[in-house]
């Protein structure tokens, strides 16, 4: 078997797969953030907490109601989405006329409250969530072992990301969303119910976070802090990709996951910071982000 | 203006006051538009023409007074409700969405009533748009943007069109094309409020002219009396 710079291919491919999994989460989460920011002008710091909620809702559905993984994959995002809509109606909608900073502070506070509540009731040791039977085990590809569930995470995130991209870029509803992102007043003056569009967009964006949470539940243990740890990296991903672009946030998510995986192979000490180093470089060279439009 | 005229006006604006934040810019605008008419608002830079259109549409910061359309009082309505009564705006800055292509821009405003123009007729009026259907809004020339901004409010079934300086900054041939379009739209039965600086152009398309100055309507001149009133008009417009 060939070796690359003394690295066995199994290790390389294994880390690339791990990177791709992380990238899948980065992509789904940063996509939601980008959609929300585009229309609502709010940097949704509660995104990580809502991702965590998605995982918890799946766990609760299973443990309190006996509802398994597959229905939870639909139900948990719906529940998180409705929760988001309540937040939007009650709280966020009062901030649209103010600076970004207020939305960021409010959602940051909400994240702390939500995480605190879950910590209070469920502790921080983490709750197990079993991989559904259909996705247990894996494939022996000869050169490496591919766990089925991990392959599923990559496929599901790709489908959701590109489905969302298609909806936003190629459908009439998406045209409303893009137009309202540019000029909500004019879209309203054409007779479109922009407040409703905003509400649904926020609900959809956080439902994506909830979906990612369900995907994550069997891999990472269900833990009140799972979102807080991840969201910092996801914000770096968003900064690197640029807030404005849907495709940009998707591609940047997968790309940075892979970069992180590669770093873990070639320079393990750097893997925790490589994304932040890239963020710093991008901010210096192209402050609006790789795919962002200069404003 | 006579009461009879007011009574059956399609649009009637009374004592309309308007603000951008704290800044009070409309100080009691009064005018009427009859069904099927083309009426212009003329006035110097900063007179309040654009603000008047925005206030009618409900998208100025704040407005008071009375704006009735087809007998319905709209002053307390949200812009989207006003739009659904049948009023549509073509804004001064054109408002073409850069992230949407020509087709998407064209199809964006939702249908609010029957009787809008079909796409075939719209491309007849604006042949240049037909070839550019897949082009991104940001890639259009100024003239194409202006045509698209007018075109997209024709298919919705809106009946009263508010056009804000559609000829501003455009080449003479395109100004002529827009002039022919406005005449055609009048024939189709649209009612039009047109803001213009170029009153040679205004005279070629309009039935009546209202003169706006410092946030008020200060005079009304029927188009056929325009020649007789040239000196007065020059004084108003400061040209
Ligand atoms: N966004 C705004 N904020 C504050 N004041 C404004 C704003 N837009 C316009 N104004 C002020 O409102 C007044 C009326 O402006 P408006 O744009 O209605 O004039 P106009 O007649 O359309 O002028 P023009 O011919 O230059 O388009 C002006 O004094 C202008 O300075
Ligand atoms: Mg103006």
């Amino acid at each position: 078997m060939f070796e690359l710079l003394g690295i066995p291919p199994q290790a390389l491919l294994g880390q690339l797969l791990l990177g791709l999994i992380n990238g899948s989460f980065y992509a789904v989460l940063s996509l939601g953030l980008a959609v929300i920011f585009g229309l609502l002008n709010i940097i949704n710091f509660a995104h990580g907490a809502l991702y965590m909620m998605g995982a918890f809702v799946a766990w609760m559905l299973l443990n309190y109601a006996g509802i398994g993984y597959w229905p939870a994959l639909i139900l948990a995002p719906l529940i998180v989405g409705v929760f988001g809509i309540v937040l939007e109606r009650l709280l966020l909608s009062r901030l649209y006329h103010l600076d970004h900073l207020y939305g960021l502070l409010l959602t940051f506070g909400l994240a702390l409250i939500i995480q605190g509540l879950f910590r209070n009731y469920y502790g921080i040791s983490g709750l197990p969530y079993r991989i559904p039977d259909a996705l247990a085990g894996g494939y022996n590809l000869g050169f490496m072992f591919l766990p089925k569930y991990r392959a599923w995470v990559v496929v599901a995130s790709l489908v959701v990301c590109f489905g969302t991209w298609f909806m936003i870029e190629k459908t009439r509803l998406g045209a409303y969303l893009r137009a309202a992102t540019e000029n909500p007043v004019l879209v309203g003056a054409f007779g479109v119910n922009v407040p409703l569009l905003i509400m649904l967009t926020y609900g959809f964006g956080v439902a994506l976070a909830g979906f990612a949470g369900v995907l994550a539940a069997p891999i990472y243990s269900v833990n009140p802090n799972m979102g807080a740890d991840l969201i910092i990296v996801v914000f770096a991903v968003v900064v690197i990709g640029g807030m404005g672009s849907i495709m940009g946030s998707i591609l940047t998510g997968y790309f940075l996951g892979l970069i992180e995986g590669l770093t873990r192979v070639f320079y393990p000490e750097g893997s925790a910071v490589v994304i932040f180093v890239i963020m710093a470089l991008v901010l210096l060279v192209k402050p609006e982000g790789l795919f962002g439009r200069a404003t | 203006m006579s009461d009879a005229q007011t009574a059956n006006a399609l649009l009637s604006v009374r004592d309309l006051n308007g603000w951008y934040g704290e800044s009070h810019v409309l100080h009691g605008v009064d005018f009427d538009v009859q069904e099927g008419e083309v009426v212009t608002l003329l006035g110097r830079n900063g007179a309040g023409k654009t603000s008047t259109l925005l206030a009618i549409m409900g998208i100025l910061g704040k407005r008071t007074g009375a704006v009735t359309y087809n007998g319905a009082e709209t002053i307390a309505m949200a812009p989207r409700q006003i739009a659904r009564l049948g009023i549509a705006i073509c804004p001064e800055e054109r408002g073409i969405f850069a992230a949407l292509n020509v087709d998407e821009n064209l199809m964006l405003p939702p249908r609010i009533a029957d009787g809008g123009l079909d796409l075939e007729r719209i491309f007849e009026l604006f042949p240049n748009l037909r070839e550019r259907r897949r082009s991104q809004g940001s890639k259009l020339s100024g003239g194409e943007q202006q045509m698209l901004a007018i075109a997209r409010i024709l298919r919705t079934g809106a009946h009263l069109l508010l056009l804000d300086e559609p000829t501003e900054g455009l080449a003479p041939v395109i100004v002529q094309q827009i002039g022919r379009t406005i005449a055609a739209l009048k024939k189709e039965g649209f009612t039009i409020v047109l803001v213009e600086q170029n009153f040679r152009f205004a005279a070629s398309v309009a039935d009546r002219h209202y003169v706006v100055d410092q946030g008020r309507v200060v005079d009304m001149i029927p188009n056929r009396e325009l020649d007789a009133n040239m000196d007065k008009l020059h004084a108003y417009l400061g040209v």
Side-chain angles (χ1 to χ4, degrees):
Chain A
M1 269 226 185
F2 75 99
E3 289 200 355
L4 192 64
L5 303 173
I7 310 276
Q10 288 90 334
L12 180 63
L13 289 170
Q15 290 301 342
L16 279 181
L17 177 64
L18 209 61
L20 199 56
I21 306 265
N22 286 337
S24 301
F25 290 107
Y26 300 160
V28 177
L29 291 170
S30 66
L31 171 63
L33 283 176
V35 173
I36 291 171
F37 180 77
L39 190 56
L40 284 78
N41 244 346
I42 277 185
I43 300 169
N44 187 37
F45 239 92
H47 219 65
L50 294 161
Y51 157 83
M52 176 271 288
M53 254 182 94
F56 261 97
V57 170
W59 183 88
M60 290 174 186
L61 285 172
L62 183 66
N63 287 278
Y64 302 150
I67 297 172
Y69 178 84
W70 298 107
L73 209 50
I74 308 286
L75 282 177
L78 275 180
I79 292 169
V80 173
V82 169
F83 179 75
I85 284 177
V86 172
L87 291 183
E88 194 277 333
R89 279 296 87 192
L90 289 182
L91 301 170
L92 296 180
S93 59
R94 297 165 203 273
L95 301 182
Y96 296 144
H97 60 289
L98 298 173
D99 190 79
H100 300 333
L101 193 58
Y102 291 87
L104 187 149
L105 288 173
L106 177 73
T107 53
F108 185 60
L110 285 171
L112 293 180
I113 293 172
I114 296 169
Q115 279 155 9
L117 283 173
F118 277 92
R119 236 185 339 258
N120 193 36
Y121 289 105
Y122 295 96
I124 50 162
S125 49
L127 305 165
Y129 191 98
R130 247 164 48 90
I131 291 177
D133 293 339
L135 297 175
Y139 309 100
N140 192 343
L141 302 181
F143 53 89
M144 69 178 285
F145 180 76
L146 175 63
K148 273 192 198 167
Y149 190 79
R150 306 212 159 201
W152 156 248
V153 167
V154 175
V155 171
S157 79
L158 281 170
V159 168
V160 164
C161 284
F162 288 97
T164 303
W165 172 83
F166 183 86
M167 191 183 77
I168 292 174
E169 297 295 337
K170 300 291 169 199
T171 69
R172 194 172 163 75
L173 184 66
Y176 282 144
L177 193 129
R178 279 175 284 142
T181 295
E182 265 180 59
N183 189 345
V185 172
L186 186 58
V187 173
F190 286 145
V192 175
N193 190 341
V194 175
L196 178 68
L197 190 65
I198 288 177
M199 185 186 95
L200 293 176
T201 300
Y202 190 74
F204 178 76
V206 306
L208 284 178
F211 179 81
V214 185
L215 281 185
I219 306 187
Y220 312 115
S221 74
V222 178
N223 182 315
N225 293 334
M226 64 194 280
D229 302 340
L230 184 60
I231 201 65
I232 303 297
V233 182
V234 172
F235 272 108
V237 171
V238 169
V239 171
I240 294 168
M243 268 290 192
S245 158
I246 299 301
M247 189 53 100
S249 56
I250 298 174
L251 295 180
T252 311
Y254 288 109
F255 173 69
L256 289 173
L258 287 174
I259 293 279
E260 216 180 23
L262 281 179
T263 313
R264 218 173 286 118
V265 177
F266 293 107
Y267 184 61
E269 299 82 351
S271 66
V273 295
V274 61
I275 288 186
F276 298 97
V277 172
I278 295 176
M279 179 178 86
L281 291 176
V282 167
L283 281 177
L284 285 174
V285 179
K286 200 163 179 290
E288 68 275 14
L290 294 179
F291 297 87
R293 286 177 287 265
T295 43
Chain B
M1 65 203 77
S2 72
D3 284 346
Q5 206 175 29
T6 307
N8 56 24
L10 178 68
L11 176 76
S12 157
V13 177
R14 285 291 169 277
D15 193 29
L16 180 62
N17 280 258
W19 290 261
Y20 290 98
E22 296 290 295
S23 148
H24 191 174
V25 297
L26 300 180
H27 301 272
V29 175
D30 289 287
F31 70 100
D32 290 292
V33 183
Q34 306 298 314
E35 168 77 49
E37 258 190 323
V38 176
V39 159
T40 67
L41 303 180
L42 304 176
R44 309 170 201 241
N45 288 324
K49 308 176 297 291
T50 296
S51 307
T52 300
L53 295 193
L54 298 183
I56 292 171
M57 208 65 244
I59 52 180
L60 197 68
K62 179 186 160 200
R63 58 177 199 162
T64 65
V67 178
T68 48
Y69 178 75
N70 236 338
E73 176 56 64
T74 69
I75 200 76
M77 289 184 182
R80 66 171 184 277
Q81 296 168 302
I82 297 172
R84 295 204 166 260
L85 295 177
I87 308 180
I89 191 164
C90 170
E92 186 168 22
E93 69 286 356
R94 294 167 188 148
I96 297 306
F97 298 102
L100 277 60
N101 65 27
V102 167
D103 254 355
E104 289 173 324
N105 267 287
L106 196 54
M107 302 311 285
L108 184 86
R111 273 222 140 72
I112 49 113
D114 292 338
L117 302 188
D118 59 28
L119 277 185
E120 213 25 61
R121 177 77 181 110
I122 287 175
F123 289 131
E124 234 172 79
L125 289 171
F126 303 103
N128 319 39
L129 292 183
R130 195 196 298 268
E131 289 125 48
R132 309 238 34 194
R133 292 179 73 164
R134 299 272 156 238
S135 307
Q136 211 61 15
S138 51
K139 302 270 159 59
L140 301 181
S141 69
E144 288 166 334
Q145 287 191 16
Q146 187 62 64
M147 291 177 198
L148 180 55
I150 300 175
R152 73 178 164 190
I153 57 174
L154 301 179
R155 42 159 286 284
T156 65
H159 183 66
L160 173 64
L161 310 181
L162 310 176
L163 310 181
D164 198 345
E165 299 204 41
T167 64
E168 193 181 10
L170 299 181
V173 274
I174 301 176
V175 173
Q176 284 169 17
Q177 191 191 347
I178 289 176
R180 285 194 300 273
T181 306
I182 292 176
L185 295 178
K186 182 176 160 69
K187 273 218 190 78
E188 300 265 0
F190 286 99
T191 305
I192 295 171
V193 177
L194 175 68
V195 166
E196 263 303 335
Q197 299 259 10
N198 174 350
F199 73 80
R200 294 249 300 285
F201 176 79
S204 70
V205 295
D207 300 304
R208 291 187 299 131
H209 309 278
Y210 285 103
V211 181
V212 181
D213 193 31
Q214 300 189 17
R216 285 183 191 81
V217 168
V218 294
D219 208 346
M220 191 277 282
I221 305 169
N223 198 45
R224 63 188 133 70
E225 294 169 22
L226 200 60
D227 286 340
N229 285 287
M230 263 319 166
D231 291 344
K232 204 164 75 173
L233 200 57
H234 279 297
Y236 283 133
L237 301 181
V239 283

